Amino acid sequence: MTHAPEHVVVEADDLGQAGEKLAGLRAAGFTGTAGVLLTEDAARQAARTVQQLQTAIDNIPAPIFSKDADGAYGACNTAFEAYVGVPRNRIIGRTVHQIWSPEMADVYAAADQALLDAGGKQVYEAQVRYADGTLHDVTFYKGILTDEHGAVRGLAGAMLDITERRALEDRLRVLADTDPLTGAANRALFTRRLTEAVARAGTHPPAVLLIDLDDFKAVNDSLGHDVGDQFLIAVTARLHDGLDDGDTVARLGGDEFAVLLEDSSRWQVARTVRRITAALGRTVDAGGHPLTPRASIGVAQARPGDSGDDLLRHADIALYEAKDGGKGRYAYHRPGMRTRVVDQSAMLTALRQALTAGRLSVHYQPIVRLDDGQVSGVEALARWRDPARGWVPPTEFVAAAERGGLIAALGEWMLGAVCRRTGPPATYLNTSAHELREPRFADRVAAALATTGLAPSRLIIEVTESAAVEDETVLATLHRVRALGVRIALDDFGTGRSSLSLLVNAPVDVIKLDPAFTARITEDGRHATVARAVARLAGSLGIEAVAKGVETAAQARGVREAGFGLAQGRHVGAPMPDGDLDAYLRDAPEPRSGSGTRPGVRLA
C-alpha cells in the first residue's frame, strides 16, 4: 500500500507560480507540508521585491510595524526606528516588553492582545512620546495577519501623526469659545457654562455678576480704539485678579462683562464683589495712558427653579438698578426689582420718542443782580410733559437719559434750542460730563453758534464741579469751548474735592455756590463762613459768583451781605416757559433810582 508523502517540495520560477502549484496540491487533497524551491532567477527576483517593498515603506513618514502572534516584531520602517530610537536590528525579534518601559509595554501588549482576540481591525488615538522626548498625538491603525487557513499569525499597524490637526482643532475650539481681543470666555461659552452650573447646582447655587464699564465710549472717542482695546484687555486682567480658580470671566460684547461663580455662598459672592470693585479701582495702563476703570455691577444668585436665562435676567435688572444709583456702584437683585426696571425702561422709550418728535420744551430761570434787580442771565432747563405721565420731573428723565445713552442727544437738542433763542440775556446751559468727554463737543458748539448767529458771549456752558474734577478730557474740552468766546460756569461749587485747583486749571468765568451753603447762610456757622470765603475768592480772581437756591428774603439778604452779586432761586424768579420769559423781560420797568430792587424781586 502506497502512502501519500507528508512533505513535498515544489519547484517554481517565481512566487506566483509557486502559489498556483500549492493551490493545486490542496485541491488534490494534499494535507502535508510543502516547501518552495525557487530557481536562481526567481530567488533574485523575490529578494528584489522584498527590498523594493522595504524601500517603499521606509519612505513613508508614518511609523509602520508588524508582529507575530507571540508579540515579537517582524518588520518596521525607518519612521518606526525614529519613534523607538534604536535601529531595526535591535527591534526585529523583540517584544514590547524588551523595548518599552514596563508601563508602556503593558499598554501596548494589552491593545495588541485585544486585537488578536477580536480579530479584524483596530483604530484608536493616543499620545506617545518619541525617543527624542517630543510628544505626538497619533492615530493607530492596526489589523491582524492570517495564514492561508485563516489562522491568526500576527498583526501589522501604522501610526498617523495628528499633532498638527489636533492643535488646529484646539485652536478652533478656543476661537469658538473665547473673545479674540481679551482672551476671556465669549457669550456662547458663558451661556453653556451657566446652563451646566444651574443644572448641577450643589450646596451653593451659582451666581452671576454683570459688569458694565462706565464712560467707555469716551475712552474710545477721545483716545482712539487702540487705547480702548488695551483698556479692555487690562480690565479683563483685573477681573481675573479678583476671582478664584474655577470662576469664569466672559466678555459679552463691547464694554459688558460677566462673571460666573459656580459654587459660592452668599458671603463668598459678597467677597468677590468687593474684590472686583477694589481691583477695578486701581489705575491701569492702556497704551501708555493711565486710566482708572469705573464699572456698574449687577449681582444675582440662583434661586430654586431658576434657569440660566432667569439668572442672567435678574443680574441685568440688578445692573440697571446699580446704574440708577450713579456710576461705580453695585446692586444685588431682590424680588420686586423688576417692576421698577420695567417702568424705567418704558420711560426711556417714551423719552426717546419725545426727543424724536420734538415734544420737549425749555424753561428759563432768571439769574438776578442783587444790587439793582436786573436780570443778568437765565439758566435753560429741559422740561418734558408726557401724554401718559404728565410733567415728568427732570431728575427722573435726565437720569434715565444718562443710563440709556440719550444724554448726548438730549444735550444736543438743548444746545440747538438755546442758540436759536436770540433775545437777551445770556443763557446758562447745563452740560453733562459725558457730553464734555465727546471729542467733537466743541465743534458742535461752534456749529450751533454759526448756524444760529448767536454771539458766543451770550452762551455760558455750565458744568458741575464734580464732573470736571481730575478729568483731563473734560478740562481740555472746556478750554476748546472757551477759545470760541463761550463762557464757562462751575455749578454746585464747594462740594467737590478740588475746588481751588479747578479755579486754576479750568477756564472759569462764573461759579455757582452750592445750594447747601445758601440754605444755611443765615446761620452763624461754617456754611456762612465758607460762603463768604467763596465770594471773596471769586472777587479776587475776577470771577462772577452766583448764589444758588435762594428761596427766602432772608437768604437773599444773607448772600448779598456775604458778598455775592448774583442770585438764583424761586425767591428771585421761578423757571418759566420761553414766552413767559419774553413777557417778563419786556414788561419789567427799569429799576427805581436808589431802590436797588425791581418789581417782584423782594430782597428783604
Side-chain angles (χ1 to χ4, degrees), residues 109-123:
D112 290 346
Q113 192 59 52
L115 174 62
L116 294 173
D117 292 343
K121 297 178 181 180
Q122 187 182 69
V123 179

Side-chain angles (χ1 to χ4, degrees), residues 232-536:
L232 292 174
I233 293 171
V235 166
T236 303
R238 284 293 167 83
L239 291 176
H240 280 293
D241 290 343
L243 300 181
D244 296 323
D245 293 339
D247 297 334
T248 299
V249 174
R251 182 184 175 215
L252 303 185
D255 59 351
E256 186 178 10
F257 292 82
V259 170
L260 173 62
L261 310 178
E262 296 198 23
D263 186 20
S264 297
S265 64
R266 288 186 179 276
W267 76 264
Q268 288 173 320
V269 172
R271 181 198 62 179
T272 300
V273 171
R274 290 193 299 269
R275 285 164 57 179
I276 287 178
T277 302
L280 292 180
R282 301 193 303 271
T283 300
V284 301
D285 180 81
H289 297 270
L291 301 173
T292 302
R294 288 194 301 176
S296 301
I297 304 174
V299 187
Q301 193 157 17
R303 295 170 298 186
D306 280 349
S307 66
D309 288 341
D310 292 333
L311 187 54
L312 200 59
R313 184 169 57 255
H314 292 163
D316 193 38
I317 291 171
L319 175 62
Y320 199 100
E321 180 80 4
K323 284 181 169 293
D324 187 44
K327 298 175 182 177
R329 298 174 181 265
Y330 59 85
Y332 289 83
H333 179 265
R334 61 184 183 276
M337 190 179 279
R338 174 177 171 79
T339 301
R340 183 184 178 202
V341 171
V342 169
D343 290 344
Q344 291 174 339
S345 178
M347 177 186 289
L348 184 62
T349 300
L351 177 60
R352 184 178 289 108
Q353 294 171 348
L355 263 174
T356 303
R359 292 200 296 266
L360 272 67
S361 60
V362 182
H363 284 199
Y364 296 90
Q365 184 171 28
I367 297 172
V368 175
R369 290 207 301 255
L370 288 170
D371 60 350
D372 61 6
Q374 285 276 55
V375 176
S376 170
V378 291
E379 180 175 347
L381 303 166
R383 292 292 185 264
W384 175 32
R385 186 172 186 174
D386 182 65
R389 298 173 178 82
W391 287 106
V392 182
T395 52
E396 293 185 13
F397 74 78
V398 171
E402 285 270 13
R403 289 190 305 269
L406 282 181
I407 194 64
L410 177 59
E412 189 166 359
W413 181 86
M414 285 288 292
L415 175 64
V418 166
C419 288
R420 284 191 295 271
R421 187 186 182 283
T422 57
T427 304
Y428 292 71
L429 176 63
N430 282 294
T431 309
S432 70
H434 179 85
E435 294 173 84
L436 291 169
R437 292 190 186 103
E438 293 278 350
R440 293 178 295 276
F441 177 77
D443 296 332
R444 288 202 296 270
V445 172
L449 293 172
T451 301
T452 61
L454 182 70
S457 60
R458 295 272 306 285
L459 178 64
I460 303 173
I461 293 296
E462 185 173 314
V463 58
T464 61
E465 180 188 5
S466 59
V469 170
E470 298 177 3
D471 195 321
E472 294 182 1
T473 302
V474 170
L475 291 176
T477 300
L478 291 177
H479 280 283
R480 289 187 61 199
V481 171
R482 187 64 183 84
L484 298 173
V486 175
R487 289 182 286 170
I488 306 297
L490 275 184
D491 197 12
D492 297 335
F493 188 81
T495 58
R497 293 173 295 171
S498 303
S499 301
L500 298 181
S501 64
L502 273 177
L503 295 180
V504 175
N505 298 323
V508 179
D509 299 285
V510 182
I511 56 175
K512 286 187 169 185
L513 182 70
D514 187 87
F517 295 97
T518 303
R520 303 181 67 176
I521 193 69
T522 58
E523 302 175 13
D524 188 14
R526 292 187 176 182
H527 285 74
T529 302
V530 170
R532 287 192 293 270
V534 169
R536 287 195 299 269

